[in-house]
Amino acid sequence: MKEEAGELLEKLKNGEVKEVTVAKEDFDLFRSVLTERDDFKHFRGIAGHFGKTVYQYLEEPRS
């Protein structure tokens, strides 16, 4: 799953996908992969219903 999370983050960064939806049960693992990245601040997670989180990539890092 870590490799899959890394691939999804790369696709998001490269613009191959506009957003990635992460289910509640996958959140902790996905976030651990995300926070290890140097460009962590470029990703925005938006909490949704039933524990789902939608991630988007921002050109400008968030503060």
Side-chain angles (χ1 to χ4, degrees), residues 2 6 9 28-41 43:
K2 275 192 168 192
L9 289 167
D28 289 334
L29 178 64
F30 191 87
R31 190 163 185 340
S32 72
V33 172
L34 174 61
T35 56
E36 292 174 3
R37 295 177 59 102
D38 292 335
D39 60 350
F40 166 69
K41 292 275 188 176
F43 292 89

Side-chain angles (χ1 to χ4, degrees), residues 33-57:
V33 172
L34 174 61
T35 56
E36 292 174 3
R37 295 177 59 102
D38 292 335
D39 60 350
F40 166 69
K41 292 275 188 176
H42 285 270
F43 292 89
R44 173 175 57 190
I46 303 165
H49 293 299
F50 308 110
K52 290 184 180 174
T53 305
V54 176
Y55 284 95
Q56 300 170 337
Y57 187 81

Side-chain angles (χ1 to χ4, degrees), residues 10-32:
E10 278 301 312
K11 286 182 179 181
L12 194 55
K13 177 183 176 181
N14 295 333
E16 295 176 46
V17 295
K18 296 222 183 261
E19 58 186 31
V20 172
T21 302
V22 178
K24 179 180 180 179
E25 56 271 10
D26 299 325
F27 177 79
D28 289 334
L29 178 64
F30 191 87
R31 190 163 185 340
S32 72

